[in-house]
Amino acid sequence: MSDQVRIIEMGPRDGLQNEKAPVSVEARIAFIEALVGAGLSTVEVGAFVSPKAIPQMASSDAVLRGVSHLTDAEFHVLVPNEKGYDAACAAGAQVVSVFAAASEGFSRANINCTVAESIERFKPVLARAKADGVRVRGYISCVLGCPFDGEIKPKAVADLANTLWELGCYEISLGDTIGVGTPDKAKQMLRAVAANIPPANLAMHFHDTYGQALANLYAGMEEGVRVIDAAAGGLGGCPYAPGATGNVATEDVVYMLEGMGIRTGVDMDKLLAATNEMSGVLGKPPVSRVASALNAKRKRAVS
């Protein structure tokens, strides 16, 4: 294990987009500022998608502009097509993410097209981004299981990852969208993908529905992957998978890594403060085990 891991903070996008009630632009900006202040220097801050489809991500342009003063951080935004790319660039985006699914069922449910059709949609985005000097990250959903198609073969994930890689994505984020994976399956999938793509260019985006995310991340680290997507407080979920929880909690990842002597650059106290502030906005406690434990410990200390 190397002594450093890069965490991509997903709370402001992947987390908040699954909340029932949209969060104000001001609260989203304050959340991002607090996360960056805690040492999370790479944050996905929004998605340039139809506000009718995902009202929680409306005004992502205002959010991106609102955090532009944080020059020591890198901000990512999700774009589904050229229209989204145009809007993102107009707001000053330097890194955009495109997304596809490893399963046909999820692709049709999520973006109403086949996997092949989704690739055709973002081919022009990648071509234009290359010409514009904008970096593109690629997401693959349902790499360890699909709510519609069931088990996903590692080869299907590897083939799609190769396509994204060859089209110009600098990093491929592999998502266990419904959190059904286990360590051995995670290793098999990562080995299939890493046959053609260096582990240094892969990221793990594991949800914690069945409580396996940390174990799966550890297994992936044993395979050489050193980038982890996580969401403060464990925010998020999947609208197509009943019971699916959010991305693995950033607090839980930081606690595990720091306990292993692996540097994250994250200040746990400041991260917890950011999580608690957003939890107050949402009106519910964080699902992060570490955040819950630390909050209980502090409550006892002052009582």
Coordinates of all heavy atoms in Angstrom, one line a residue, residues 44-130:
E44 N -16.8 17.2 -6.7 CA -17.8 17.3 -7.8 C -19.0 18.2 -7.3 O -19.6 17.8 -6.3 CB -18.3 15.9 -8.2 CG -19.1 16.0 -9.5 CD -19.3 14.7 -10.1 OE1 -20.1 13.9 -9.6 OE2 -18.7 14.4 -11.2
V45 N -19.2 19.3 -8.0 CA -20.1 20.3 -7.4 C -21.5 20.4 -8.0 O -22.3 21.1 -7.5 CB -19.4 21.7 -7.4 CG1 -18.1 21.7 -6.7 CG2 -19.2 22.2 -8.9
G46 N -21.7 19.7 -9.1 CA -23.0 19.9 -9.8 C -23.1 19.0 -11.0 O -22.2 18.3 -11.4
A47 N -24.3 19.2 -11.7 CA -24.5 18.4 -12.9 C -25.3 19.3 -13.8 O -26.3 19.9 -13.4 CB -25.3 17.2 -12.6
F48 N -24.9 19.4 -15.1 CA -25.6 20.3 -16.1 C -26.5 19.4 -16.8 O -26.3 19.1 -18.0 CB -24.5 20.9 -17.0 CG -23.8 22.1 -16.2 CD1 -22.8 21.8 -15.4 CD2 -24.2 23.4 -16.4 CE1 -22.1 22.8 -14.7 CE2 -23.6 24.4 -15.7 CZ -22.5 24.1 -14.9
V49 N -27.6 19.0 -16.1 CA -28.7 18.2 -16.7 C -30.0 19.0 -16.6 O -30.0 20.1 -16.1 CB -28.8 16.9 -15.8 CG1 -27.5 16.1 -15.9 CG2 -29.0 17.2 -14.3
S50 N -31.0 18.4 -17.2 CA -32.3 19.0 -17.2 C -32.8 19.2 -15.8 O -32.9 18.3 -15.1 CB -33.3 18.2 -18.0 OG -34.6 18.7 -17.8
P51 N -33.2 20.5 -15.5 CA -33.7 20.7 -14.1 C -35.1 20.0 -13.9 O -35.5 19.8 -12.8 CB -33.9 22.2 -14.0 CG -33.9 22.7 -15.5 CD -33.1 21.7 -16.2
K52 N -35.8 19.6 -15.0 CA -37.0 18.9 -14.9 C -36.7 17.5 -14.5 O -37.5 16.9 -13.7 CB -37.8 18.9 -16.2 CG -38.3 20.3 -16.6 CD -39.1 20.2 -17.9 CE -39.7 21.6 -18.3 NZ -40.4 21.5 -19.6
A53 N -35.6 16.9 -15.0 CA -35.3 15.5 -14.6 C -34.7 15.5 -13.2 O -35.0 14.6 -12.5 CB -34.3 15.0 -15.7
I54 N -33.8 16.4 -12.9 CA -33.1 16.4 -11.6 C -33.1 17.8 -11.1 O -32.1 18.6 -11.2 CB -31.6 15.9 -11.7 CG1 -31.6 14.5 -12.4 CG2 -31.0 15.8 -10.3 CD1 -30.2 13.9 -12.5
P55 N -34.2 18.2 -10.5 CA -34.4 19.6 -10.0 C -33.3 19.9 -8.9 O -33.0 21.1 -8.7 CB -35.8 19.6 -9.4 CG -36.2 18.2 -9.2 CD -35.5 17.4 -10.2
Q56 N -32.8 18.9 -8.2 CA -31.8 19.2 -7.2 C -30.5 19.8 -7.7 O -29.8 20.4 -7.0 CB -31.5 17.9 -6.4 CG -32.7 17.2 -5.7 CD -33.5 16.3 -6.6 OE1 -33.4 16.4 -7.8 NE2 -34.2 15.4 -6.0
M57 N -30.3 19.6 -9.0 CA -29.0 20.1 -9.6 C -29.2 21.3 -10.4 O -28.3 21.8 -11.1 CB -28.4 19.0 -10.5 CG -27.8 17.8 -9.7 SD -26.3 18.3 -8.7 CE -27.0 18.4 -7.1
A58 N -30.4 21.9 -10.3 CA -30.7 23.2 -11.0 C -29.7 24.3 -10.4 O -29.3 24.2 -9.3 CB -32.1 23.7 -10.7
S59 N -29.3 25.2 -11.3 CA -28.4 26.3 -10.9 C -27.0 25.8 -10.6 O -26.3 26.5 -9.8 CB -29.0 27.1 -9.7 OG -30.3 27.6 -10.0
S60 N -26.6 24.7 -11.2 CA -25.2 24.3 -11.0 C -24.2 25.3 -11.6 O -23.1 25.3 -11.1 CB -25.0 22.9 -11.7 OG -25.6 21.8 -10.9
D61 N -24.7 26.1 -12.5 CA -23.8 27.1 -13.1 C -23.5 28.1 -12.0 O -22.4 28.6 -11.8 CB -24.4 27.8 -14.3 CG -25.8 28.3 -14.0 OD1 -26.5 27.9 -13.1 OD2 -26.2 29.2 -14.8
A62 N -24.5 28.5 -11.2 CA -24.3 29.5 -10.1 C -23.4 28.9 -9.0 O -22.6 29.6 -8.4 CB -25.7 29.9 -9.5
V63 N -23.6 27.6 -8.8 CA -22.7 27.0 -7.7 C -21.3 27.0 -8.2 O -20.4 27.3 -7.4 CB -23.2 25.5 -7.5 CG1 -22.2 24.8 -6.5 CG2 -24.6 25.6 -6.9
L64 N -21.1 26.6 -9.4 CA -19.7 26.5 -10.0 C -19.0 27.9 -9.9 O -17.9 28.1 -9.5 CB -19.7 25.9 -11.4 CG -18.3 25.7 -12.0 CD1 -17.4 24.8 -11.1 CD2 -18.4 25.1 -13.4
R65 N -19.8 28.9 -10.4 CA -19.2 30.3 -10.3 C -19.0 30.7 -8.9 O -18.1 31.5 -8.6 CB -20.2 31.2 -11.0 CG -20.3 31.0 -12.6 CD -21.1 32.2 -13.2 NE -21.1 32.0 -14.7 CZ -22.1 31.5 -15.3 NH1 -23.2 31.1 -14.7 NH2 -22.1 31.4 -16.7
G66 N -19.9 30.3 -8.0 CA -19.8 30.7 -6.6 C -18.7 30.2 -5.8 O -18.3 30.7 -4.8
V67 N -18.0 29.1 -6.3 CA -16.9 28.5 -5.7 C -15.6 28.8 -6.4 O -14.5 28.3 -6.1 CB -17.0 27.0 -5.4 CG1 -18.2 26.8 -4.5 CG2 -17.2 26.2 -6.7
S68 N -15.7 29.6 -7.5 CA -14.5 29.8 -8.4 C -13.4 30.5 -7.6 O -12.2 30.5 -8.1 CB -14.9 30.6 -9.6 OG -15.4 31.9 -9.2
H69 N -13.7 31.2 -6.5 CA -12.6 31.9 -5.7 C -11.7 30.9 -5.0 O -10.6 31.3 -4.5 CB -13.3 32.8 -4.7 CG -14.1 32.2 -3.7 ND1 -15.3 31.6 -3.9 CD2 -13.8 31.9 -2.4 CE1 -15.8 31.1 -2.8 NE2 -14.9 31.2 -1.9
L70 N -12.1 29.6 -4.9 CA -11.3 28.6 -4.2 C -10.3 28.1 -5.2 O -10.5 27.0 -5.8 CB -12.2 27.5 -3.7 CG -13.2 28.0 -2.7 CD1 -14.2 26.9 -2.4 CD2 -12.6 28.5 -1.4
T71 N -9.2 28.8 -5.5 CA -8.3 28.5 -6.6 C -7.4 27.3 -6.3 O -6.7 26.8 -7.2 CB -7.4 29.7 -6.9 OG1 -6.8 30.2 -5.7 CG2 -8.3 30.8 -7.4
D72 N -7.4 26.8 -5.0 CA -6.5 25.7 -4.7 C -7.3 24.4 -4.7 O -6.7 23.3 -4.3 CB -5.9 25.9 -3.3 CG -7.0 26.1 -2.2 OD1 -8.1 26.3 -2.5 OD2 -6.6 25.9 -1.0
A73 N -8.5 24.4 -5.3 CA -9.3 23.2 -5.4 C -9.6 22.9 -6.9 O -9.6 23.8 -7.7 CB -10.6 23.3 -4.6
E74 N -10.0 21.7 -7.2 CA -10.4 21.3 -8.5 C -11.9 20.9 -8.4 O -12.2 20.0 -7.6 CB -9.5 20.1 -9.0 CG -9.9 19.6 -10.4 CD -9.0 18.5 -10.8 OE1 -7.9 18.7 -11.3 OE2 -9.4 17.3 -10.7
F75 N -12.7 21.5 -9.3 CA -14.1 21.2 -9.3 C -14.6 20.5 -10.5 O -14.2 20.8 -11.6 CB -14.9 22.5 -9.1 CG -14.6 23.2 -7.8 CD1 -14.0 24.5 -7.8 CD2 -14.8 22.6 -6.6 CE1 -13.7 25.2 -6.7 CE2 -14.5 23.3 -5.4 CZ -14.0 24.5 -5.4
H76 N -15.3 19.4 -10.3 CA -15.9 18.6 -11.4 C -17.4 18.8 -11.5 O -18.0 19.1 -10.6 CB -15.6 17.1 -11.1 CG -14.2 16.7 -11.1 ND1 -13.8 15.4 -11.0 CD2 -13.0 17.5 -11.0 CE1 -12.5 15.3 -11.0 NE2 -12.0 16.6 -10.9
V77 N -17.9 18.7 -12.8 CA -19.3 18.7 -13.0 C -19.7 17.6 -14.0 O -18.9 17.3 -14.9 CB -19.8 20.1 -13.5 CG1 -19.6 21.2 -12.5 CG2 -19.0 20.5 -14.8
L78 N -20.9 17.1 -13.8 CA -21.4 16.1 -14.7 C -22.1 16.7 -15.9 O -22.8 17.7 -15.8 CB -22.4 15.2 -13.9 CG -22.7 13.8 -14.4 CD1 -21.4 12.9 -14.2 CD2 -23.8 13.2 -13.6
V79 N -21.8 16.1 -17.1 CA -22.5 16.6 -18.3 C -23.0 15.4 -19.1 O -22.3 14.4 -19.3 CB -21.6 17.5 -19.2 CG1 -21.2 18.7 -18.5 CG2 -20.4 16.7 -19.7
P80 N -24.3 15.4 -19.5 CA -24.8 14.2 -20.3 C -24.7 14.3 -21.8 O -24.8 13.3 -22.5 CB -26.3 14.3 -19.9 CG -26.6 15.7 -19.7 CD -25.3 16.3 -19.2
N81 N -24.4 15.5 -22.3 CA -24.4 15.7 -23.7 C -23.8 17.0 -24.1 O -23.3 17.7 -23.2 CB -25.9 15.6 -24.3 CG -26.8 16.5 -23.4 OD1 -26.4 17.6 -23.0 ND2 -28.0 16.1 -23.2
E82 N -23.8 17.4 -25.4 CA -23.2 18.6 -25.8 C -23.9 19.9 -25.2 O -23.2 20.9 -24.9 CB -23.2 18.7 -27.3 CG -22.2 17.9 -28.0 CD -22.0 18.2 -29.5 OE1 -22.8 17.7 -30.3 OE2 -21.2 19.0 -29.8
K83 N -25.2 19.8 -25.0 CA -25.9 21.0 -24.4 C -25.4 21.2 -23.0 O -25.1 22.3 -22.6 CB -27.4 20.7 -24.4 CG -28.2 21.9 -23.8 CD -29.7 21.6 -23.9 CE -30.5 22.7 -23.3 NZ -32.0 22.4 -23.3
G84 N -25.2 20.1 -22.3 CA -24.7 20.2 -20.9 C -23.2 20.7 -20.9 O -22.8 21.5 -20.0
Y85 N -22.5 20.2 -21.9 CA -21.1 20.6 -22.0 C -21.0 22.1 -22.3 O -20.2 22.9 -21.7 CB -20.4 19.9 -23.1 CG -19.0 20.3 -23.3 CD1 -17.9 19.9 -22.5 CD2 -18.6 21.1 -24.4 CE1 -16.6 20.3 -22.7 CE2 -17.3 21.5 -24.6 CZ -16.3 21.1 -23.8 OH -15.0 21.5 -24.0
D86 N -21.8 22.6 -23.2 CA -21.8 24.1 -23.5 C -22.1 24.9 -22.2 O -21.4 25.9 -21.9 CB -22.9 24.4 -24.5 CG -22.5 23.9 -25.9 OD1 -21.3 23.7 -26.2 OD2 -23.4 23.7 -26.7
A87 N -23.1 24.5 -21.4 CA -23.5 25.2 -20.2 C -22.4 25.1 -19.2 O -22.1 26.1 -18.5 CB -24.8 24.6 -19.7
A88 N -21.7 24.0 -19.1 CA -20.6 23.8 -18.1 C -19.5 24.7 -18.5 O -18.9 25.4 -17.6 CB -20.2 22.4 -18.1
C89 N -19.1 24.8 -19.7 CA -18.0 25.6 -20.2 C -18.3 27.1 -20.0 O -17.4 27.8 -19.6 CB -17.6 25.3 -21.6 SG -16.8 23.7 -21.9
A90 N -19.5 27.5 -20.2 CA -19.9 28.8 -20.0 C -19.8 29.3 -18.6 O -19.5 30.4 -18.3 CB -21.4 29.1 -20.5
A91 N -19.9 28.3 -17.7 CA -19.8 28.6 -16.2 C -18.4 28.4 -15.7 O -18.1 28.6 -14.6 CB -20.7 27.6 -15.4
G92 N -17.5 28.1 -16.6 CA -16.0 28.0 -16.3 C -15.5 26.7 -15.9 O -14.5 26.5 -15.3
A93 N -16.2 25.6 -16.3 CA -15.8 24.2 -15.9 C -14.4 23.9 -16.6 O -14.2 24.2 -17.8 CB -16.8 23.2 -16.4
Q94 N -13.5 23.3 -15.8 CA -12.2 22.8 -16.3 C -12.2 21.3 -16.3 O -11.3 20.7 -17.0 CB -11.1 23.4 -15.4 CG -11.0 24.9 -15.4 CD -10.6 25.4 -16.8 OE1 -9.7 24.9 -17.4 NE2 -11.4 26.4 -17.2
V95 N -13.0 20.6 -15.6 CA -13.1 19.2 -15.6 C -14.6 18.8 -15.7 O -15.4 19.3 -14.9 CB -12.5 18.6 -14.3 CG1 -12.5 17.0 -14.4 CG2 -11.1 19.0 -14.1
V96 N -14.9 18.0 -16.7 CA -16.3 17.5 -16.8 C -16.3 15.9 -16.7 O -15.3 15.3 -17.0 CB -17.0 17.9 -18.1 CG1 -17.0 19.5 -18.1 CG2 -16.3 17.4 -19.3
S97 N -17.5 15.4 -16.3 CA -17.6 13.9 -16.3 C -18.7 13.5 -17.2 O -19.8 14.1 -17.2 CB -17.9 13.5 -14.8 OG -16.8 13.8 -14.0
V98 N -18.5 12.4 -17.9 CA -19.5 11.8 -18.7 C -19.8 10.4 -18.1 O -19.0 9.9 -17.3 CB -19.1 11.6 -20.2 CG1 -18.9 12.9 -20.8 CG2 -17.8 10.7 -20.3
F99 N -21.0 9.8 -18.4 CA -21.4 8.6 -17.7 C -22.1 7.6 -18.6 O -22.8 8.0 -19.5 CB -22.3 9.0 -16.5 CG -23.5 9.8 -16.8 CD1 -24.7 9.3 -17.0 CD2 -23.3 11.2 -16.9 CE1 -25.8 10.0 -17.4 CE2 -24.4 12.0 -17.2 CZ -25.7 11.4 -17.4
A100 N -21.8 6.4 -18.3 CA -22.4 5.3 -19.0 C -22.7 4.2 -18.0 O -22.1 4.2 -16.9 CB -21.6 4.8 -20.2
A101 N -23.5 3.2 -18.4 CA -23.7 2.1 -17.5 C -23.2 0.8 -18.1 O -23.2 0.6 -19.3 CB -25.2 1.9 -17.3
A102 N -22.8 -0.1 -17.2 CA -22.3 -1.4 -17.7 C -23.5 -2.4 -18.0 O -23.3 -3.5 -18.6 CB -21.4 -2.1 -16.6
S103 N -24.7 -1.9 -17.8 CA -25.9 -2.8 -18.1 C -26.9 -2.0 -18.9 O -27.1 -0.8 -18.8 CB -26.6 -3.2 -16.8 OG -27.2 -2.1 -16.2
E104 N -27.5 -2.8 -19.8 CA -28.5 -2.2 -20.7 C -29.7 -1.7 -19.9 O -30.3 -0.7 -20.2 CB -28.9 -3.2 -21.8 CG -27.8 -3.5 -22.8 CD -27.4 -2.3 -23.7 OE1 -28.1 -1.3 -23.7 OE2 -26.3 -2.4 -24.3
G105 N -30.1 -2.5 -18.9 CA -31.3 -2.2 -18.2 C -31.2 -0.9 -17.4 O -32.1 0.0 -17.5
F106 N -30.1 -0.6 -16.8 CA -29.9 0.6 -16.1 C -29.7 1.8 -17.0 O -30.2 2.9 -16.7 CB -28.6 0.5 -15.2 CG -28.5 1.6 -14.2 CD1 -29.2 1.5 -13.0 CD2 -27.7 2.7 -14.5 CE1 -29.1 2.6 -12.0 CE2 -27.6 3.8 -13.6 CZ -28.3 3.7 -12.3
S107 N -29.1 1.6 -18.2 CA -28.9 2.7 -19.1 C -30.3 3.1 -19.6 O -30.5 4.4 -19.7 CB -28.0 2.2 -20.3 OG -27.8 3.2 -21.2
R108 N -31.1 2.2 -19.9 CA -32.5 2.6 -20.4 C -33.3 3.3 -19.3 O -34.0 4.3 -19.6 CB -33.2 1.4 -20.9 CG -32.6 0.8 -22.2 CD -33.5 -0.4 -22.7 NE -32.9 -1.0 -23.9 CZ -33.0 -0.6 -25.1 NH1 -33.8 0.5 -25.3 NH2 -32.5 -1.2 -26.2
A109 N -33.2 2.8 -18.1 CA -33.9 3.4 -17.0 C -33.4 4.8 -16.6 O -34.2 5.7 -16.3 CB -33.9 2.5 -15.8
N110 N -32.1 4.9 -16.6 CA -31.4 6.1 -16.2 C -31.4 7.3 -17.2 O -31.7 8.4 -16.9 CB -30.0 5.8 -15.7 CG -29.4 6.9 -14.9 OD1 -30.0 7.6 -14.2 ND2 -28.1 7.1 -15.1
I111 N -31.1 6.9 -18.4 CA -30.9 8.0 -19.5 C -31.7 7.6 -20.7 O -31.5 8.3 -21.8 CB -29.4 8.3 -19.8 CG1 -28.7 7.0 -20.1 CG2 -28.8 9.0 -18.6 CD1 -27.2 7.3 -20.5
N112 N -32.5 6.6 -20.7 CA -33.5 6.3 -21.8 C -32.8 6.1 -23.1 O -33.2 6.5 -24.2 CB -34.5 7.5 -21.9 CG -35.7 7.1 -22.8 OD1 -36.1 5.9 -22.7 ND2 -36.2 8.0 -23.5
C113 N -31.7 5.3 -23.1 CA -31.0 4.9 -24.3 C -30.2 3.7 -24.0 O -30.0 3.3 -22.9 CB -30.2 6.0 -24.8 SG -28.7 6.4 -23.8
T114 N -29.7 3.0 -25.1 CA -28.8 1.9 -24.9 C -27.5 2.3 -24.5 O -27.1 3.5 -24.6 CB -28.8 1.1 -26.2 OG1 -28.1 1.9 -27.2 CG2 -30.1 0.7 -26.7
V115 N -26.6 1.4 -24.1 CA -25.2 1.7 -23.8 C -24.5 2.3 -25.0 O -23.8 3.3 -24.9 CB -24.5 0.5 -23.2 CG1 -23.0 0.8 -23.0 CG2 -25.1 0.0 -22.0
A116 N -24.7 1.7 -26.1 CA -24.1 2.2 -27.4 C -24.5 3.6 -27.7 O -23.7 4.4 -28.1 CB -24.4 1.2 -28.5
E117 N -25.8 3.8 -27.5 CA -26.4 5.2 -27.8 C -25.8 6.2 -26.9 O -25.5 7.4 -27.3 CB -27.9 5.2 -27.8 CG -28.6 4.4 -28.9 CD -30.0 4.2 -28.7 OE1 -30.5 4.3 -27.5 OE2 -30.7 3.8 -29.7
S118 N -25.6 5.8 -25.6 CA -25.0 6.8 -24.6 C -23.6 7.2 -25.1 O -23.2 8.3 -24.9 CB -25.0 6.2 -23.2 OG -24.1 5.1 -23.1
I119 N -22.9 6.2 -25.6 CA -21.5 6.5 -26.0 C -21.5 7.5 -27.2 O -20.7 8.4 -27.2 CB -20.8 5.2 -26.4 CG1 -20.5 4.4 -25.1 CG2 -19.4 5.5 -27.0 CD1 -20.1 3.0 -25.4
E120 N -22.4 7.3 -28.1 CA -22.6 8.2 -29.2 C -22.9 9.6 -28.8 O -22.4 10.6 -29.4 CB -23.6 7.7 -30.2 CG -23.2 6.4 -31.0 CD -21.9 6.5 -31.7 OE1 -21.7 7.6 -32.4 OE2 -21.0 5.6 -31.6
R121 N -23.7 9.7 -27.7 CA -24.0 11.0 -27.2 C -22.8 11.8 -26.7 O -22.8 13.0 -26.9 CB -25.1 10.9 -26.1 CG -26.5 10.6 -26.5 CD -27.4 10.6 -25.3 NE -28.7 10.1 -25.6 CZ -29.7 9.9 -24.7 NH1 -29.4 10.2 -23.4 NH2 -30.9 9.4 -25.0
F122 N -21.9 11.1 -26.0 CA -20.8 11.9 -25.5 C -19.5 11.9 -26.3 O -18.5 12.5 -25.9 CB -20.6 11.6 -24.0 CG -20.3 10.1 -23.7 CD1 -19.2 9.5 -24.1 CD2 -21.2 9.4 -22.8 CE1 -18.9 8.2 -23.8 CE2 -20.9 8.1 -22.5 CZ -19.8 7.5 -22.9
K123 N -19.5 11.2 -27.4 CA -18.4 11.2 -28.3 C -18.0 12.7 -28.7 O -16.9 13.1 -28.6 CB -18.6 10.4 -29.5 CG -18.2 8.9 -29.4 CD -18.3 8.2 -30.7 CE -17.9 6.7 -30.5 NZ -18.1 5.9 -31.8
P124 N -19.0 13.5 -29.1 CA -18.7 14.9 -29.5 C -18.2 15.7 -28.3 O -17.5 16.6 -28.4 CB -20.0 15.4 -30.1 CG -21.1 14.5 -29.6 CD -20.4 13.1 -29.5
V125 N -18.7 15.3 -27.1 CA -18.3 16.0 -25.9 C -16.8 15.8 -25.7 O -16.0 16.8 -25.4 CB -19.1 15.6 -24.6 CG1 -18.5 16.1 -23.4 CG2 -20.6 15.9 -24.8
L126 N -16.4 14.6 -25.8 CA -14.9 14.3 -25.6 C -14.1 14.9 -26.7 O -13.0 15.4 -26.4 CB -14.8 12.8 -25.6 CG -15.1 12.1 -24.3 CD1 -15.6 10.7 -24.5 CD2 -13.9 12.1 -23.3
A127 N -14.6 14.9 -27.9 CA -13.8 15.6 -29.0 C -13.7 17.1 -28.8 O -12.6 17.6 -28.9 CB -14.5 15.3 -30.3
R128 N -14.8 17.7 -28.4 CA -14.7 19.1 -28.1 C -13.9 19.5 -26.9 O -13.1 20.5 -26.9 CB -16.1 19.7 -28.0 CG -16.9 19.7 -29.3 CD -18.3 20.2 -29.1 NE -18.3 21.6 -28.5 CZ -19.4 22.2 -28.0 NH1 -20.5 21.6 -28.1 NH2 -19.3 23.4 -27.5
A129 N -14.0 18.7 -25.9 CA -13.2 18.9 -24.6 C -11.7 18.8 -24.9 O -10.9 19.6 -24.4 CB -13.6 17.9 -23.6
K130 N -11.3 17.9 -25.7 CA -9.9 17.7 -26.1 C -9.4 19.0 -26.8 O -8.4 19.5 -26.5 CB -9.7 16.5 -27.0 CG -8.3 16.3 -27.4 CD -8.1 15.0 -28.2 CE -6.6 14.7 -28.5 NZ -6.5 13.5 -29.3

